[in-house]
């Protein structure tokens, strides 16, 4: 194995594992934490939501940096692709931009997704669905790469 191949494998591992950790955390927050917080009284709900969100903020930003950095490395060192790949890659990048912006908004909002004062938010649902669509497009792009397109 050459050093370039080892670095490429490490970069892909960092990229994929960061996506898995981030989406797993968001899915857990959406499916477990938010419904649990909904059962708490209003003041405890706001405090618990703010505390859990602040604990997830630093890992969220770290994972976003790792995902973007390793993704750019993988893109620029990979093979050149055709028109179909570039179109779908552009769509994927628009979804990634939506994902990153929504994640940053969620991380910096006062209460996250928990219903406070009868106002609910659906950012975690949007992040989870967008992340899964991005993974589906990535799988399609990988199949195009394996076919040499």
């Amino acid at each position: 194995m050459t050093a370039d191949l080892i670095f490429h494998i490490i970069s892909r591992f960092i990229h994929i594992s960061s996506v898995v950790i981030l989406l797993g955390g968001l899915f857990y927050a959406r499916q477990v934490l938010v419904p649990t917080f909904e059962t708490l009284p209003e003041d405890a709900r706001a405090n618990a939501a703010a505390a859990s969100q602040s604990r997830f903020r630093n890992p969220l930003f770290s994972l976003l940096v790792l995902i973007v950095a390793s993704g750019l490395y993988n893109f620029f060192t990979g093979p050149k692709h055709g028109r179909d790949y570039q179109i779908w890659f552009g769509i994927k990048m628009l979804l990634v931009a939506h994902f990153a912006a929504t994640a940053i908004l969620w991380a910096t909002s006062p209460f996250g997704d928990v219903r406070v004062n009868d106002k609910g938010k659906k950012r975690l649902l949007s992040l989870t669905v967008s992340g899964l669509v991005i993974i589906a497009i990535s799988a399609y792009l990988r199949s195009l790469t394996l076919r040499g397109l």
Side-chain angles (χ1 to χ4, degrees), residues 80-114:
K80 303 300 177 220
H81 298 286
R83 184 180 60 92
D84 289 345
Y85 185 96
Q86 296 298 331
I87 290 170
W88 280 102
F89 186 79
I91 293 169
K92 176 185 167 186
M93 288 300 101
L94 289 173
L95 282 170
V96 168
H98 161 73
F99 185 92
T102 306
I104 291 168
L105 285 172
W106 176 79
T108 57
S109 70
F111 303 112
D113 265 29
V114 175

mmCIF file of all heavy atoms in Angstrom, residues 80-114:
data_model
loop_
_atom_site.group_PDB
_atom_site.id
_atom_site.type_symbol
_atom_site.label_atom_id
_atom_site.label_comp_id
_atom_site.label_asym_id
_atom_site.label_seq_id
_atom_site.Cartn_x
_atom_site.Cartn_y
_atom_site.Cartn_z
ATOM 1 N N LYS A 80 -12.090 12.230 -12.145
ATOM 2 C CA LYS A 80 -12.953 13.206 -12.816
ATOM 3 C C LYS A 80 -14.201 12.482 -13.302
ATOM 4 O O LYS A 80 -14.144 11.336 -13.737
ATOM 5 C CB LYS A 80 -12.222 13.851 -13.995
ATOM 6 C CG LYS A 80 -10.934 14.530 -13.599
ATOM 7 C CD LYS A 80 -11.166 15.628 -12.584
ATOM 8 C CE LYS A 80 -9.866 16.258 -12.141
ATOM 9 N NZ LYS A 80 -9.815 16.543 -10.737
ATOM 10 N N HIS A 81 -15.330 13.159 -13.242
ATOM 11 C CA HIS A 81 -16.603 12.513 -13.552
ATOM 12 C C HIS A 81 -17.330 13.246 -14.672
ATOM 13 O O HIS A 81 -17.010 14.378 -15.008
ATOM 14 C CB HIS A 81 -17.491 12.490 -12.308
ATOM 15 C CG HIS A 81 -16.911 11.701 -11.185
ATOM 16 N ND1 HIS A 81 -16.871 10.330 -11.171
ATOM 17 C CD2 HIS A 81 -16.328 12.088 -10.033
ATOM 18 C CE1 HIS A 81 -16.308 9.912 -10.062
ATOM 19 N NE2 HIS A 81 -15.957 10.963 -9.348
ATOM 20 N N GLY A 82 -18.358 12.558 -15.165
ATOM 21 C CA GLY A 82 -19.150 13.089 -16.261
ATOM 22 C C GLY A 82 -20.259 14.021 -15.814
ATOM 23 O O GLY A 82 -20.382 14.381 -14.640
ATOM 24 N N ARG A 83 -21.112 14.379 -16.774
ATOM 25 C CA ARG A 83 -22.173 15.349 -16.555
ATOM 26 C C ARG A 83 -23.195 14.887 -15.516
ATOM 27 O O ARG A 83 -23.588 15.655 -14.636
ATOM 28 C CB ARG A 83 -22.872 15.641 -17.887
ATOM 29 C CG ARG A 83 -23.942 16.705 -17.809
ATOM 30 C CD ARG A 83 -24.578 16.938 -19.161
ATOM 31 N NE ARG A 83 -25.210 15.746 -19.685
ATOM 32 C CZ ARG A 83 -26.498 15.432 -19.493
ATOM 33 N NH1 ARG A 83 -27.273 16.235 -18.830
ATOM 34 N NH2 ARG A 83 -27.004 14.323 -19.989
ATOM 35 N N ASP A 84 -23.659 13.633 -15.597
ATOM 36 C CA ASP A 84 -24.659 13.140 -14.643
ATOM 37 C C ASP A 84 -24.135 13.200 -13.210
ATOM 38 O O ASP A 84 -24.853 13.594 -12.293
ATOM 39 C CB ASP A 84 -25.069 11.709 -14.976
ATOM 40 C CG ASP A 84 -25.906 11.632 -16.238
ATOM 41 O OD1 ASP A 84 -26.396 12.692 -16.686
ATOM 42 O OD2 ASP A 84 -26.072 10.521 -16.766
ATOM 43 N N TYR A 85 -22.908 12.807 -13.022
ATOM 44 C CA TYR A 85 -22.302 12.855 -11.695
ATOM 45 C C TYR A 85 -22.272 14.297 -11.193
ATOM 46 O O TYR A 85 -22.632 14.555 -10.037
ATOM 47 C CB TYR A 85 -20.887 12.279 -11.726
ATOM 48 C CG TYR A 85 -20.237 12.189 -10.364
ATOM 49 C CD1 TYR A 85 -20.266 11.006 -9.643
ATOM 50 C CD2 TYR A 85 -19.602 13.294 -9.793
ATOM 51 C CE1 TYR A 85 -19.678 10.925 -8.391
ATOM 52 C CE2 TYR A 85 -19.015 13.226 -8.542
ATOM 53 C CZ TYR A 85 -19.056 12.035 -7.847
ATOM 54 O OH TYR A 85 -18.482 11.962 -6.606
ATOM 55 N N GLN A 86 -21.846 15.227 -12.034
ATOM 56 C CA GLN A 86 -21.726 16.620 -11.619
ATOM 57 C C GLN A 86 -23.089 17.219 -11.251
ATOM 58 O O GLN A 86 -23.198 17.996 -10.295
ATOM 59 C CB GLN A 86 -21.060 17.455 -12.718
ATOM 60 C CG GLN A 86 -19.636 17.062 -13.011
ATOM 61 C CD GLN A 86 -18.710 17.254 -11.818
ATOM 62 O OE1 GLN A 86 -18.933 18.105 -10.986
ATOM 63 N NE2 GLN A 86 -17.669 16.448 -11.750
ATOM 64 N N ILE A 87 -24.129 16.848 -11.986
ATOM 65 C CA ILE A 87 -25.470 17.349 -11.684
ATOM 66 C C ILE A 87 -25.922 16.853 -10.318
ATOM 67 O O ILE A 87 -26.374 17.634 -9.472
ATOM 68 C CB ILE A 87 -26.470 16.923 -12.778
ATOM 69 C CG1 ILE A 87 -26.183 17.688 -14.073
ATOM 70 C CG2 ILE A 87 -27.912 17.144 -12.328
ATOM 71 C CD1 ILE A 87 -26.945 17.165 -15.275
ATOM 72 N N TRP A 88 -25.808 15.551 -10.088
ATOM 73 C CA TRP A 88 -26.230 14.988 -8.806
ATOM 74 C C TRP A 88 -25.339 15.455 -7.666
ATOM 75 O O TRP A 88 -25.798 15.641 -6.537
ATOM 76 C CB TRP A 88 -26.288 13.462 -8.871
ATOM 77 C CG TRP A 88 -27.553 13.015 -9.531
ATOM 78 C CD1 TRP A 88 -27.711 12.567 -10.806
ATOM 79 C CD2 TRP A 88 -28.854 13.042 -8.952
ATOM 80 N NE1 TRP A 88 -29.036 12.305 -11.043
ATOM 81 C CE2 TRP A 88 -29.749 12.573 -9.922
ATOM 82 C CE3 TRP A 88 -29.345 13.397 -7.708
ATOM 83 C CZ2 TRP A 88 -31.119 12.466 -9.673
ATOM 84 C CZ3 TRP A 88 -30.709 13.297 -7.455
ATOM 85 C CH2 TRP A 88 -31.575 12.833 -8.448
ATOM 86 N N PHE A 89 -24.057 15.665 -7.942
ATOM 87 C CA PHE A 89 -23.166 16.181 -6.916
ATOM 88 C C PHE A 89 -23.571 17.606 -6.535
ATOM 89 O O PHE A 89 -23.537 17.973 -5.352
ATOM 90 C CB PHE A 89 -21.707 16.152 -7.390
ATOM 91 C CG PHE A 89 -20.734 16.545 -6.323
ATOM 92 C CD1 PHE A 89 -20.369 15.641 -5.346
ATOM 93 C CD2 PHE A 89 -20.201 17.813 -6.296
ATOM 94 C CE1 PHE A 89 -19.486 16.000 -4.347
ATOM 95 C CE2 PHE A 89 -19.318 18.187 -5.303
ATOM 96 C CZ PHE A 89 -18.956 17.273 -4.326
ATOM 97 N N GLY A 90 -23.971 18.410 -7.507
ATOM 98 C CA GLY A 90 -24.446 19.760 -7.217
ATOM 99 C C GLY A 90 -25.696 19.749 -6.348
ATOM 100 O O GLY A 90 -25.824 20.537 -5.403
ATOM 101 N N ILE A 91 -26.626 18.841 -6.655
ATOM 102 C CA ILE A 91 -27.835 18.704 -5.834
ATOM 103 C C ILE A 91 -27.454 18.286 -4.410
ATOM 104 O O ILE A 91 -27.983 18.816 -3.431
ATOM 105 C CB ILE A 91 -28.808 17.699 -6.479
ATOM 106 C CG1 ILE A 91 -29.352 18.264 -7.785
ATOM 107 C CG2 ILE A 91 -29.945 17.345 -5.524
ATOM 108 C CD1 ILE A 91 -30.103 17.270 -8.641
ATOM 109 N N LYS A 92 -26.525 17.354 -4.313
ATOM 110 C CA LYS A 92 -26.070 16.907 -2.998
ATOM 111 C C LYS A 92 -25.445 18.066 -2.225
ATOM 112 O O LYS A 92 -25.703 18.241 -1.027
ATOM 113 C CB LYS A 92 -25.056 15.771 -3.156
ATOM 114 C CG LYS A 92 -24.464 15.297 -1.846
ATOM 115 C CD LYS A 92 -23.383 14.252 -2.077
ATOM 116 C CE LYS A 92 -22.590 14.026 -0.818
ATOM 117 N NZ LYS A 92 -21.450 13.143 -1.031
ATOM 118 N N MET A 93 -24.643 18.894 -2.883
ATOM 119 C CA MET A 93 -23.997 20.013 -2.200
ATOM 120 C C MET A 93 -25.022 21.051 -1.739
ATOM 121 O O MET A 93 -24.856 21.655 -0.678
ATOM 122 C CB MET A 93 -22.946 20.677 -3.101
ATOM 123 C CG MET A 93 -21.700 19.843 -3.292
ATOM 124 S SD MET A 93 -20.845 19.492 -1.740
ATOM 125 C CE MET A 93 -21.351 17.828 -1.396
ATOM 126 N N LEU A 94 -26.095 21.254 -2.512
ATOM 127 C CA LEU A 94 -27.159 22.153 -2.060
ATOM 128 C C LEU A 94 -27.822 21.608 -0.800
ATOM 129 O O LEU A 94 -28.112 22.356 0.137
ATOM 130 C CB LEU A 94 -28.195 22.353 -3.171
ATOM 131 C CG LEU A 94 -27.741 23.187 -4.361
ATOM 132 C CD1 LEU A 94 -28.797 23.151 -5.462
ATOM 133 C CD2 LEU A 94 -27.455 24.614 -3.930
ATOM 134 N N LEU A 95 -28.055 20.296 -0.766
ATOM 135 C CA LEU A 95 -28.627 19.681 0.437
ATOM 136 C C LEU A 95 -27.654 19.750 1.612
ATOM 137 O O LEU A 95 -28.070 19.950 2.757
ATOM 138 C CB LEU A 95 -29.021 18.225 0.162
ATOM 139 C CG LEU A 95 -30.327 18.043 -0.592
ATOM 140 C CD1 LEU A 95 -30.493 16.595 -1.032
ATOM 141 C CD2 LEU A 95 -31.498 18.473 0.270
ATOM 142 N N VAL A 96 -26.366 19.585 1.340
ATOM 143 C CA VAL A 96 -25.361 19.696 2.405
ATOM 144 C C VAL A 96 -25.352 21.124 2.955
ATOM 145 O O VAL A 96 -25.246 21.324 4.173
ATOM 146 C CB VAL A 96 -23.964 19.274 1.896
ATOM 147 C CG1 VAL A 96 -22.873 19.663 2.873
ATOM 148 C CG2 VAL A 96 -23.936 17.775 1.637
ATOM 149 N N ALA A 97 -25.472 22.124 2.092
ATOM 150 C CA ALA A 97 -25.528 23.510 2.549
ATOM 151 C C ALA A 97 -26.769 23.740 3.418
ATOM 152 O O ALA A 97 -26.692 24.394 4.464
ATOM 153 C CB ALA A 97 -25.525 24.465 1.361
ATOM 154 N N HIS A 98 -27.909 23.178 2.995
ATOM 155 C CA HIS A 98 -29.130 23.258 3.803
ATOM 156 C C HIS A 98 -28.915 22.567 5.145
ATOM 157 O O HIS A 98 -29.304 23.098 6.198
ATOM 158 C CB HIS A 98 -30.301 22.610 3.055
ATOM 159 C CG HIS A 98 -31.442 22.230 3.939
ATOM 160 N ND1 HIS A 98 -32.301 23.151 4.485
ATOM 161 C CD2 HIS A 98 -31.849 21.020 4.397
ATOM 162 C CE1 HIS A 98 -33.198 22.520 5.222
ATOM 163 N NE2 HIS A 98 -32.943 21.230 5.181
ATOM 164 N N PHE A 99 -28.295 21.404 5.118
ATOM 165 C CA PHE A 99 -28.045 20.640 6.335
ATOM 166 C C PHE A 99 -27.158 21.425 7.288
ATOM 167 O O PHE A 99 -27.464 21.546 8.486
ATOM 168 C CB PHE A 99 -27.379 19.302 5.965
ATOM 169 C CG PHE A 99 -27.180 18.390 7.124
ATOM 170 C CD1 PHE A 99 -28.138 17.455 7.464
ATOM 171 C CD2 PHE A 99 -26.025 18.451 7.891
ATOM 172 C CE1 PHE A 99 -27.957 16.613 8.541
ATOM 173 C CE2 PHE A 99 -25.830 17.613 8.970
ATOM 174 C CZ PHE A 99 -26.793 16.688 9.299
ATOM 175 N N ALA A 100 -26.061 21.971 6.787
ATOM 176 C CA ALA A 100 -25.124 22.712 7.644
ATOM 177 C C ALA A 100 -25.794 23.966 8.218
ATOM 178 O O ALA A 100 -25.646 24.256 9.411
ATOM 179 C CB ALA A 100 -23.874 23.082 6.862
ATOM 180 N N ALA A 101 -26.531 24.696 7.396
ATOM 181 C CA ALA A 101 -27.203 25.907 7.883
ATOM 182 C C ALA A 101 -28.247 25.568 8.936
ATOM 183 O O ALA A 101 -28.335 26.239 9.975
ATOM 184 C CB ALA A 101 -27.846 26.646 6.712
ATOM 185 N N THR A 102 -29.030 24.532 8.699
ATOM 186 C CA THR A 102 -30.052 24.133 9.660
ATOM 187 C C THR A 102 -29.417 23.641 10.954
ATOM 188 O O THR A 102 -29.900 23.933 12.047
ATOM 189 C CB THR A 102 -30.964 23.044 9.059
ATOM 190 O OG1 THR A 102 -31.494 23.509 7.822
ATOM 191 C CG2 THR A 102 -32.100 22.697 9.994
ATOM 192 N N ALA A 103 -28.317 22.894 10.845
ATOM 193 C CA ALA A 103 -27.623 22.404 12.041
ATOM 194 C C ALA A 103 -27.075 23.567 12.866
ATOM 195 O O ALA A 103 -27.168 23.565 14.101
ATOM 196 C CB ALA A 103 -26.497 21.461 11.646
ATOM 197 N N ILE A 104 -26.522 24.562 12.197
ATOM 198 C CA ILE A 104 -25.993 25.720 12.915
ATOM 199 C C ILE A 104 -27.135 26.508 13.560
ATOM 200 O O ILE A 104 -27.028 26.945 14.714
ATOM 201 C CB ILE A 104 -25.148 26.598 11.976
ATOM 202 C CG1 ILE A 104 -23.861 25.845 11.615
ATOM 203 C CG2 ILE A 104 -24.827 27.946 12.599
ATOM 204 C CD1 ILE A 104 -23.076 26.449 10.481
ATOM 205 N N LEU A 105 -28.244 26.679 12.848
ATOM 206 C CA LEU A 105 -29.401 27.353 13.440
ATOM 207 C C LEU A 105 -29.924 26.590 14.648
ATOM 208 O O LEU A 105 -30.272 27.176 15.672
ATOM 209 C CB LEU A 105 -30.517 27.513 12.404
ATOM 210 C CG LEU A 105 -30.315 28.588 11.359
ATOM 211 C CD1 LEU A 105 -31.395 28.493 10.294
ATOM 212 C CD2 LEU A 105 -30.298 29.956 12.001
ATOM 213 N N TRP A 106 -29.999 25.278 14.535
ATOM 214 C CA TRP A 106 -30.468 24.469 15.653
ATOM 215 C C TRP A 106 -29.518 24.587 16.841
ATOM 216 O O TRP A 106 -29.950 24.723 17.984
ATOM 217 C CB TRP A 106 -30.606 22.999 15.238
ATOM 218 C CG TRP A 106 -30.981 22.130 16.385
ATOM 219 C CD1 TRP A 106 -32.233 21.971 16.918
ATOM 220 C CD2 TRP A 106 -30.108 21.325 17.160
ATOM 221 N NE1 TRP A 106 -32.167 21.107 17.982
ATOM 222 C CE2 TRP A 106 -30.881 20.698 18.143
ATOM 223 C CE3 TRP A 106 -28.743 21.077 17.112
ATOM 224 C CZ2 TRP A 106 -30.333 19.824 19.081
ATOM 225 C CZ3 TRP A 106 -28.196 20.214 18.040
ATOM 226 C CH2 TRP A 106 -28.985 19.592 19.011
ATOM 227 N N ALA A 107 -28.224 24.553 16.575
ATOM 228 C CA ALA A 107 -27.237 24.589 17.658
ATOM 229 C C ALA A 107 -27.197 25.933 18.365
ATOM 230 O O ALA A 107 -26.811 26.011 19.527
ATOM 231 C CB ALA A 107 -25.855 24.265 17.116
ATOM 232 N N THR A 108 -27.597 26.992 17.682
ATOM 233 C CA THR A 108 -27.520 28.313 18.286
ATOM 234 C C THR A 108 -28.876 28.860 18.729
ATOM 235 O O THR A 108 -28.928 29.937 19.327
ATOM 236 C CB THR A 108 -26.880 29.318 17.305
ATOM 237 O OG1 THR A 108 -27.638 29.341 16.099
ATOM 238 C CG2 THR A 108 -25.445 28.928 17.001
ATOM 239 N N SER A 109 -29.963 28.133 18.473
ATOM 240 C CA SER A 109 -31.280 28.610 18.909
ATOM 241 C C SER A 109 -31.432 28.376 20.418
ATOM 242 O O SER A 109 -30.793 27.504 20.979
ATOM 243 C CB SER A 109 -32.400 27.905 18.143
ATOM 244 O OG SER A 109 -32.485 26.562 18.534
ATOM 245 N N PRO A 110 -32.289 29.133 21.077
ATOM 246 C CA PRO A 110 -32.361 29.033 22.529
ATOM 247 C C PRO A 110 -32.893 27.703 23.061
ATOM 248 O O PRO A 110 -32.473 27.249 24.105
ATOM 249 C CB PRO A 110 -33.286 30.170 22.938
ATOM 250 C CG PRO A 110 -33.723 30.860 21.718
ATOM 251 C CD PRO A 110 -33.097 30.210 20.546
ATOM 252 N N PHE A 111 -33.818 27.046 22.351
ATOM 253 C CA PHE A 111 -34.429 25.851 22.913
ATOM 254 C C PHE A 111 -34.406 24.639 21.992
ATOM 255 O O PHE A 111 -35.038 23.636 22.288
ATOM 256 C CB PHE A 111 -35.880 26.131 23.310
ATOM 257 C CG PHE A 111 -36.009 27.254 24.283
ATOM 258 C CD1 PHE A 111 -36.607 28.438 23.921
ATOM 259 C CD2 PHE A 111 -35.501 27.135 25.562
ATOM 260 C CE1 PHE A 111 -36.716 29.477 24.813
ATOM 261 C CE2 PHE A 111 -35.598 28.173 26.470
ATOM 262 C CZ PHE A 111 -36.208 29.347 26.086
ATOM 263 N N GLY A 112 -33.741 24.692 20.886
ATOM 264 C CA GLY A 112 -33.684 23.530 20.009
ATOM 265 C C GLY A 112 -35.034 23.196 19.425
ATOM 266 O O GLY A 112 -35.735 24.055 18.919
ATOM 267 N N ASP A 113 -35.440 21.946 19.544
ATOM 268 C CA ASP A 113 -36.695 21.481 18.961
ATOM 269 C C ASP A 113 -37.805 21.283 19.978
ATOM 270 O O ASP A 113 -38.876 20.829 19.647
ATOM 271 C CB ASP A 113 -36.474 20.140 18.249
ATOM 272 C CG ASP A 113 -36.205 20.330 16.779
ATOM 273 O OD1 ASP A 113 -35.660 21.383 16.421
ATOM 274 O OD2 ASP A 113 -36.545 19.442 15.999
ATOM 275 N N VAL A 114 -37.555 21.589 21.220
ATOM 276 C CA VAL A 114 -38.544 21.317 22.256
ATOM 277 C C VAL A 114 -39.638 22.381 22.215
ATOM 278 O O VAL A 114 -39.362 23.571 22.041
ATOM 279 C CB VAL A 114 -37.858 21.281 23.637
ATOM 280 C CG1 VAL A 114 -38.876 21.119 24.740
ATOM 281 C CG2 VAL A 114 -36.866 20.146 23.680
#
